[in-house]
Amino acid sequence: AEKQRIEYIDLIKGITIVLVMYYHCPVPEDNHAMMMLSYTRIPTYVFLSGLFFSTYDSFKQFVVKKNESIHHTLVFFVAFALITLPLHYNGLNLNEFKSFVYDIVVNGSIERLNGPIWFLEMLVWLSLFSYAIDTLLKDKTKVLKASLCIIISLIAFTLNDIVSQYEYNSFLAILFIYNIKLPAALIFLPTFYIPHLFRTQILCYHKPRLLYTGLPITLIVLYLCADSTIIHSICKYNISYPRFFIGQFAGIYSIFVIGYVIKRLPFFSFVGRYSIIVLGTHMLVKQFFIFYLNITDPYILFAILVVTAPICILVIKQYFPHFTAQKDLLKLSPDGKLKISFKD
């Protein structure tokens, strides 16, 4: 059963990361299907990240484990983007380089180097908040914790609405929305923390008929909620909070049922298992083909990303496993000492 669960989770991750690549090509967004997908891609990825967020015995253990799964990977893909900068921006003239440096150093916009890593920045915050809730509300009920997350998310969503009334180049917008990803993390807190709370119930649920029955209902709900495209990386929502909250969980449910039914598709399951590598490399691949080979057709670009994703996975997994959450770099010994190890 455990193997089966992992297989369908990998498939869901694979479907999600392929949808992310499809969105980044970019494809036209002025149709209802793309609007529905905007409620599905990132929320599902957040949900899965929360589903496998662990409870830690100490803050030191938490820091070590999160360094392995998020921080090392974030730093690696920023460094990788810096090294390959001339490749995916066709040399970069001096003015463009100054603009990059200014954005990174002054504005803190490290995702300017590699757009999709904003998601890893957000995961840092989500992990910190979740650890804090686990620690401070250790003896409280799951319902109370989930309710608190929803209240925090609602407040953040409302405040984000107020901040977004300013022009996006204002100090407030630059600080809160573009750079530190704090609003995004707070808004997504229930999406991350609730599956963490109910992990056992979610992974051990085995009533497929009930799941299938709910699918048409959730697809209708998703269709009704999705009346505009939302952009999670800059917290651009032109909807009410109830519609956002209900719509994203309808999207997550739909993807989960599809994964649960199919169980495994070799390509999707493979890229799903190593989705963090695909997340950190696909935009760099896309930029290379745009700037050097002048390929701009979104569907051709998408096909290229699909073909190159397994290649990127095999290369990165082979040569940089300790920096992409495939193998542990830091290890905590029984006596509490921290060790760096490049051994398997």
Side-chain angles (χ1 to χ4, degrees), residues 21-22 25 267 278 281-290 293-312:
M21 290 193 293
Y22 184 68
C25 283
F267 172 79
V278 181
T281 56
H282 76 273
M283 191 64 84
L284 305 180
V285 172
K286 187 197 83 168
Q287 297 291 56
F288 174 83
F289 280 92
I290 288 176
L293 301 180
N294 200 30
I295 297 174
T296 57
D297 182 275
Y299 300 105
I300 295 176
L301 284 172
F302 176 62
I304 290 171
L305 293 184
V306 168
V307 170
T308 56
I311 299 171
C312 291

Side-chain angles (χ1 to χ4, degrees), residues 7 86 201 229 236 246 253 259:
E7 282 189 344
Q201 291 86 341
T229 299
K236 188 177 180 181
I246 295 169
Y253 182 93

Side-chain angles (χ1 to χ4, degrees), residues 43 45-54 66 70 119 122-131 149 185 187-198 248-249 252:
Y45 222 152
V46 174
F47 187 94
L48 288 169
S49 300
L51 188 62
F52 293 99
F53 177 80
S54 300
K66 288 301 106 180
I70 302 175
F119 182 81
M122 182 179 69
L123 281 187
V124 173
W125 286 108
L126 284 169
S127 299
L128 283 169
F129 295 146
S130 298
Y131 175 80
C149 289
I187 290 168
F188 272 121
L189 188 56
T191 317
F192 184 90
Y193 193 74
I194 289 175
H196 163 63
L197 281 177
F198 298 98
Q248 67 164 335
F249 275 98
I252 293 167

Side-chain angles (χ1 to χ4, degrees), residues 14-295:
I15 293 170
T16 305
I17 196 64
V18 169
L19 290 175
V20 168
M21 290 193 293
Y22 184 68
Y23 170 73
H24 285 156
C25 283
V27 293
E29 299 176 32
D30 55 350
N31 63 74
H32 210 82
M34 288 303 295
M35 292 177 189
M36 291 171 69
L37 288 176
S38 71
Y39 284 74
T40 305
R41 292 182 301 261
I42 298 303
T44 303
Y45 222 152
V46 174
F47 187 94
L48 288 169
S49 300
L51 188 62
F52 293 99
F53 177 80
S54 300
T55 301
Y56 299 96
D57 297 327
S58 67
F59 185 70
K60 187 173 184 179
Q61 184 189 43
F62 165 76
V63 170
V64 170
K65 291 299 181 182
K66 288 301 106 180
N67 262 324
E68 295 294 345
S69 60
I70 302 175
H71 299 109
H72 291 166
T73 309
L74 178 59
V75 171
F76 172 79
F77 283 123
V78 170
F80 187 74
L82 276 170
I83 294 169
T84 60
L85 202 60
L87 292 178
H88 57 265
Y89 280 104
N90 203 11
L92 267 181
N93 64 46
L94 184 59
N95 289 332
E96 288 174 325
F97 183 74
K98 287 179 180 178
S99 173
F100 262 73
V101 172
Y102 183 86
D103 254 10
I104 295 164
V105 177
V106 179
N107 293 337
S109 301
I110 60 173
E111 68 269 16
R112 175 85 186 269
L113 287 166
N114 189 353
I117 64 173
W118 75 268
F119 182 81
L120 297 178
E121 296 177 71
M122 182 179 69
L123 281 187
V124 173
W125 286 108
L126 284 169
S127 299
L128 283 169
F129 295 146
S130 298
Y131 175 80
I133 294 171
D134 275 348
T135 304
L136 299 176
L137 302 178
K138 186 176 181 179
D139 299 322
K140 303 300 180 183
T141 65
K142 292 181 178 181
V143 173
L144 177 64
K145 293 176 183 178
S147 301
L148 177 63
C149 289
I150 294 171
I151 291 169
I152 291 171
S153 175
L154 174 59
I155 293 171
F157 191 93
T158 305
L159 290 176
N160 177 72
D161 247 1
I162 297 171
V163 172
S164 63
Q165 300 302 317
Y166 296 88
E167 292 187 14
Y168 274 96
N169 61 357
S170 70
F171 173 76
L172 276 175
I174 289 174
L175 177 62
F176 288 102
I177 298 176
Y178 278 110
N179 293 347
I180 63 177
K181 304 304 174 191
L182 183 56
L186 291 171
I187 290 168
F188 272 121
L189 188 56
T191 317
F192 184 90
Y193 193 74
I194 289 175
H196 163 63
L197 281 177
F198 298 98
R199 175 182 177 177
T200 302
Q201 291 86 341
I202 293 169
L203 291 179
C204 295
Y205 188 83
H206 296 296
K207 294 182 179 178
R209 286 187 180 180
L210 189 59
L211 285 176
Y212 308 155
T213 304
L215 182 58
I217 298 172
T218 53
L219 286 174
I220 292 170
V221 170
L222 179 59
Y223 181 86
L224 294 174
C225 287
D227 63 348
S228 63
T229 299
I230 53 182
I231 306 174
H232 300 285
S233 59
I234 58 173
C235 298
K236 188 177 180 181
Y237 308 109
N238 299 315
I239 52 171
S240 65
Y241 183 76
R243 177 172 282 186
F244 164 76
F245 187 81
I246 295 169
Q248 67 164 335
F249 275 98
I252 293 167
Y253 182 93
S254 302
I255 293 291
F256 256 74
V257 173
I258 292 169
Y260 189 87
V261 171
I262 299 174
K263 296 289 189 287
R264 186 175 185 273
L265 290 173
F267 172 79
F268 286 93
S269 299
F270 180 72
V271 297
R273 182 177 179 183
Y274 302 103
S275 60
I276 196 166
I277 295 177
V278 181
L279 181 76
T281 56
H282 76 273
M283 191 64 84
L284 305 180
V285 172
K286 187 197 83 168
Q287 297 291 56
F288 174 83
F289 280 92
I290 288 176
F291 284 96
Y292 274 90
L293 301 180
N294 200 30
I295 297 174

